Amino acid sequence: SPFSDVPSAAPVLDGAMDINTALQEVLKKSLIADGLVHGIHQACKALDKRQAVLCILAESFDEPNYKKLVTALCNEHQIPLIRVDSHKKLGEWSGLCKIDKEGKPRKVCGCSVVVIKDFGEETPALDVVKDHLRQNS
């Protein structure tokens, strides 16, 4: 099929859920469950202690040594790593923003790396993320 990179396991209202939508949902559930760690220092601590179930790294983060460190820690401890393009998006998805009356994010803080220690509740979005990891491992 022409959409081989779009997992089809999780039907949502508008067809198949893409990985970014799924990640947003998974991050939200993880935040609610208090299973989310932001920032390079906390993330590296969680990765090093093998507490992480998933690491998400922003490609727009322009510090190559940090990227290498996070990637190396993930490889060493066999922790799945997903790369997203924007640190602003990652910050917004992981709750580092204010939501205004219209429900739009304001004052978004960028976030270079997020580590999930606990997914929270099992959702179709989590299945999409797990499928994505299986296909890209």
Side-chain angles (χ1 to χ4, degrees), residues 59-92:
E59 283 298 338
S60 63
F61 184 46
D62 54 4
E63 189 54 66
N65 288 337
Y66 282 153
K67 276 189 194 170
K68 279 186 200 148
L69 174 65
V70 169
T71 307
L73 282 169
C74 287
N75 289 340
E76 185 184 334
H77 301 313
Q78 277 99 45
I79 294 161
L81 175 67
I82 292 182
R83 295 171 191 278
V84 295
D85 52 2
S86 158
H87 66 288
K88 281 289 190 196
K89 251 191 238 157
L90 188 54
E92 179 189 324

Side-chain angles (χ1 to χ4, degrees), residues 7 12 19 42 55 61 65 67 99 106 108 112 127-128 135:
V12 286
I19 185 64
Q42 295 298 325
C55 179
F61 184 46
N65 288 337
K67 276 189 194 170
I99 306 292
R106 298 274 179 252
V108 177
S112 52
D127 297 335
V128 171
Q135 288 166 10

Side-chain angles (χ1 to χ4, degrees), residues 9-75:
V12 286
L13 298 174
D14 56 346
M17 188 185 296
D18 74 330
I19 185 64
N20 287 342
T21 314
L23 266 181
Q24 248 176 301
E25 182 69 25
V26 168
L27 283 165
K28 202 180 294 173
K29 295 293 181 199
S30 176
L31 188 64
I32 293 167
D34 201 24
L36 210 56
V37 179
H38 304 98
I40 189 76
H41 183 73
Q42 295 298 325
C44 287
K45 276 180 19 183
L47 290 170
D48 207 30
K49 290 179 181 165
R50 295 180 173 83
Q51 295 172 329
V53 287
L54 176 64
C55 179
I56 304 164
L57 183 66
E59 283 298 338
S60 63
F61 184 46
D62 54 4
E63 189 54 66
N65 288 337
Y66 282 153
K67 276 189 194 170
K68 279 186 200 148
L69 174 65
V70 169
T71 307
L73 282 169
C74 287
N75 289 340

